[in-house]
Amino acid sequence: MNHSLRPAIRSTVLLATLVAWGLSFAAPRIPQRDDEPVARLPATVFAARPRISPSAAPQTSRLADLDRAIRDAGALVELGRRTGDPRYAGQAQAILRPWWDDAQAPDAVLLLRAVLKQRNHQFDDALADLDKLLARRPGTGQARLSRAVILQVQSRYPEAAQECERMQGTLPMPYALSCALAVSGATGKLQASLRTLERFVAATPVADPAARAWMLGLAAELAERAGRGKRARQHYLAALRIDPQDQYLLAAYADFLLDAGRNGEVLPLLQEHVDSDPLLLRLSIATQRLGTAQAQTYRTMLRERFQASRRRADRVHLREEARFALSVERDAAAALRLATENWAVQKEPADARLLLESGLAAGDDNAIGTVRAWLAATGMEDRRLQRHLASTPHPSHRFPRKPAERLSKL
């Protein structure tokens, strides 16, 4: 493996996983006064932040200090993953600016560039950078894993399975095995994949805490789709004990709690994470259901953030915006439009569920048919989707006449 890739390895593995799960982050807030704090970051952030001067970083890169640029950009990518703050990704991109449009960029830059493009949902561009890297160095496991993750996001499972197989021997076993089981668990072998993963986690010491947390998070996701709620909760809690600040795990566990009607447990879990759009969305749903005083505040915050995203032509937040329209604003037509737009970009179970629920709320047979066709084509198993579809045996008898009645069931 190219030595210069090593500083970015751990960061990019984790970020690739995060983006695959569809997480996007907060939009920047515009302060009203010069002395108004932009954000209050936890002390752990300052301890972890690389020593980079924002004004000096681009200059350093122009001096072609490649090793330092790779190290600092990789550290910022990881910091952005942990905090949910999108500004770190922007800083990482600024550091890589001298090579950002370079078709002959060094290997490590191609990898980090792909990770950052993946974060912005520029999946085809990210794949193009990974293809260049793999053409030079076919044994780069990091690039194989990132490619496999993107292909899964795009629902291109046969190609993703090939990448997982090629990854064997290029990355530690937990990553290669999790990659393969994520694909098999999405293509008709859910129960077997869950059993294999649970046995491996129980029987095999995994020295890398991040890898173990990733495996437990995947096990929780598979168990949830299999309808094994108790098992899913155990896996989520075990993963969060390893990494309690992991943004994806927090969002996924909050979704689990919301599905179980345990809305009150979402508040202490996420109330310190209002700067993250996805986590604020879960808080907003929970407080609205509970009827608490913060419900309107969170709703207004999210509405303003999505408006700001649209002004920037930033479409990374489509999934969250669609869910906000459906579950908070109760606007079925807007939710369906956004969910359909999101489906054109990414096709994971969460995207399918959003499209299906929006289609049910709006009475749109095309959306429902799209999800049915996707389930049949992939072999995807998900009890939550199956329950929704089982309640709609025929289009003409599928929906109550009044839209409000349909929304009240979501």
Side-chain angles (χ1 to χ4, degrees):
M1 182 179 296
N2 188 341
H3 177 74
S4 64
L5 291 176
R6 291 179 182 172
I9 285 177
R10 188 164 179 272
S11 302
T12 47
V13 166
L14 293 171
L15 189 64
T17 307
L18 178 69
V19 177
W21 279 321
L23 199 58
S24 54
F25 298 108
R29 179 172 57 85
I30 301 173
Q32 302 300 310
R33 307 187 314 275
D34 291 343
D35 60 346
E36 181 180 344
V38 175
R40 291 182 173 81
L41 302 179
T44 52
V45 168
F46 295 101
R49 193 184 191 284
R51 296 181 181 279
I52 301 171
S53 165
S55 60
Q59 183 177 0
T60 300
S61 297
R62 283 196 294 273
L63 295 175
D65 186 353
L66 179 61
D67 287 343
R68 181 177 175 183
I70 294 302
R71 182 197 64 209
D72 291 347
L76 287 166
V77 166
E78 170 63 7
L79 193 55
R81 181 196 75 82
R82 291 191 58 79
T83 63
D85 190 331
R87 290 171 296 185
Y88 293 118
Q91 291 180 23
Q93 183 171 339
I95 290 175
L96 299 177
R97 188 180 305 151
W99 303 278
W100 193 257
D101 297 317
D102 183 359
Q104 303 303 319
D107 297 348
V109 172
L110 285 176
L111 186 57
L112 277 173
R113 206 165 68 182
V115 169
L116 290 166
K117 289 177 179 177
Q118 184 180 351
R119 180 201 171 277
N120 291 329
H121 292 193
Q122 297 172 299
F123 297 128
D124 291 339
D125 289 344
L127 287 173
D129 276 346
L130 294 171
D131 288 345
K132 286 179 188 174
L133 174 55
L134 288 168
R136 297 177 191 170
R137 299 180 181 278
T140 306
Q142 280 285 291
R144 295 280 177 209
L145 178 57
S146 292
R147 196 168 189 279
V149 165
I150 294 173
L151 292 170
Q152 289 178 66
V153 172
Q154 294 181 324
S155 206
R156 296 162 61 181
Y157 292 111
E159 295 168 82
Q162 290 176 357
E163 289 298 342
C164 297
E165 187 174 346
R166 292 169 182 154
M167 196 189 308
Q168 300 288 336
T170 66
L171 282 180
M173 174 58 76
Y175 291 108
L177 179 65
S178 297
C179 181
L181 293 175
V183 174
S184 61
T187 51
K189 299 177 181 176
L190 177 60
Q191 299 288 354
S193 300
L194 175 60
R195 285 196 300 271
T196 302
L197 184 58
E198 287 178 330
R199 288 171 184 166
F200 182 85
V201 171
T204 309
V206 178
D208 181 355
R212 188 168 185 83
W214 182 26
M215 299 184 81
L216 286 165
L218 176 60
E221 183 185 58
L222 296 179
E224 202 173 355
R225 283 184 17 227
R228 298 187 176 187
K230 184 177 180 180
R231 193 81 62 85
R233 179 181 171 87
Q234 291 171 347
H235 293 320
Y236 277 131
L237 292 175
L240 283 168
R241 280 195 293 273
I242 297 172
D243 192 351
Q245 298 301 314
D246 186 292
Q247 299 273 302
Y248 168 73
L249 286 173
L250 287 169
Y253 184 50
D255 283 342
F256 172 84
L257 294 173
L258 289 171
D259 280 346
R262 304 170 76 150
N263 304 305
E265 296 179 45
V266 175
L267 275 57
L269 181 72
L270 301 183
Q271 61 189 1
E272 300 298 324
H273 299 277
V274 296
D275 286 340
S276 165
D277 287 358
L279 301 187
L280 179 60
L281 172 63
R282 275 80 177 177
L283 266 177
S284 180
I285 294 172
T287 52
Q288 179 162 294
R289 290 181 181 176
L290 293 167
T292 67
Q294 297 99 329
Q296 185 57 45
T297 299
Y298 292 154
R299 181 178 185 172
T300 301
M301 290 169 66
L302 276 170
R303 188 182 294 153
E304 291 175 349
R305 290 183 187 182
F306 290 132
Q307 289 171 349
S309 294
R310 286 196 292 275
R311 285 196 296 271
R312 297 193 306 272
D314 178 355
R315 308 311 286 157
V316 173
H317 303 272
L318 278 173
R319 179 192 288 176
E320 286 73 26
E321 190 174 0
R323 188 169 174 189
F324 175 71
L326 180 67
S327 301
V328 180
E329 299 281 40
R330 319 296 280 180
D331 185 341
L336 178 60
R337 175 177 53 78
L338 291 163
T340 302
E341 193 176 344
N342 176 63
W343 185 253
V345 178
Q346 51 186 352
K347 295 178 175 61
E348 295 186 279
D351 305 301
R353 181 178 175 182
L354 193 54
L355 183 62
L356 177 60
E357 291 181 345
S358 299
L360 288 168
D364 187 281
D365 289 343
N366 289 332
I368 299 166
T370 296
V371 176
R372 282 188 186 278
W374 176 76
L375 288 170
T378 60
M380 177 68 70
E381 300 162 81
D382 190 318
R383 289 290 182 88
R384 297 160 298 185
L385 290 175
Q386 291 160 354
R387 278 197 297 269
H388 278 306
L389 288 171
S391 67
T392 59
H394 191 279
S396 63
H397 304 294
R398 190 168 291 146
F399 310 105
R401 289 188 174 185
K402 297 180 181 178
E405 293 176 358
R406 297 197 290 270
L407 286 168
S408 69
K409 295 183 177 181
L410 298 176

